Amino acid sequence: MPGKDPGPQIKDKDQYEALRDKGYSKQKSARISNSKGAEKRGGSSDDYADRTREEIYSEAKKADIKGRSTMTKKELIHALRNN
C-alpha cells in the first residue's frame, strides 16, 4: 500500500497509511486521520481538558472508540490520544 495516494480528502496521509498497515478499514482509517488532523496542524480546537465530556464523547464516537459509553472523561481523553 505504500506509495498509493489515498486522495485529497485525507488530512493526515501518514497516519492514514499507518492505520491501513495495522489492518484498519479505509473508512475507519480516513475517519481517524481526519478527526485528529486539525489538532496536529494547529487548528482552533481547545485542549481536551477544556472540553465537556459530551464534546469528547462526540470525538470518540467519530473515531469509533469501543466502550466509550461507559468511559469517564479522563478515560475518553486517554482513548482518543492513544487510538
Side-chain angles (χ1 to χ4, degrees):
M1 169 122 11
K4 188 173 183 181
D5 188 12
Q9 70 278 15
I10 303 299
K11 293 180 183 176
D12 188 338
K13 293 180 183 184
D14 291 333
Q15 184 181 30
Y16 174 85
E17 293 297 333
L19 292 168
R20 290 291 293 144
D21 290 342
K22 286 184 178 181
Y24 285 79
S25 69
K26 290 179 183 179
Q27 182 180 25
K28 187 170 183 177
S29 297
R31 189 170 49 241
I32 292 169
S33 63
N34 286 341
S35 70
K36 295 185 178 206
E39 292 175 50
K40 286 185 177 180
R41 290 183 175 85
S44 62
S45 63
D46 297 324
D47 186 48
Y48 284 132
D50 296 335
R51 297 184 189 184
T52 65
R53 183 196 177 276
E54 289 73 26
E55 291 170 324
I56 297 168
Y57 178 86
S58 178
E59 288 295 318
K61 189 174 183 179
K62 289 178 191 174
D64 198 28
I65 304 292
K66 302 294 181 204
R68 65 187 174 269
S69 64
T70 60
M71 291 182 182
T72 64
K73 179 179 175 179
K74 186 175 181 179
E75 291 170 329
L76 286 167
I77 291 170
H78 183 278
L80 283 166
R81 288 183 175 155
N82 296 294
N83 184 7

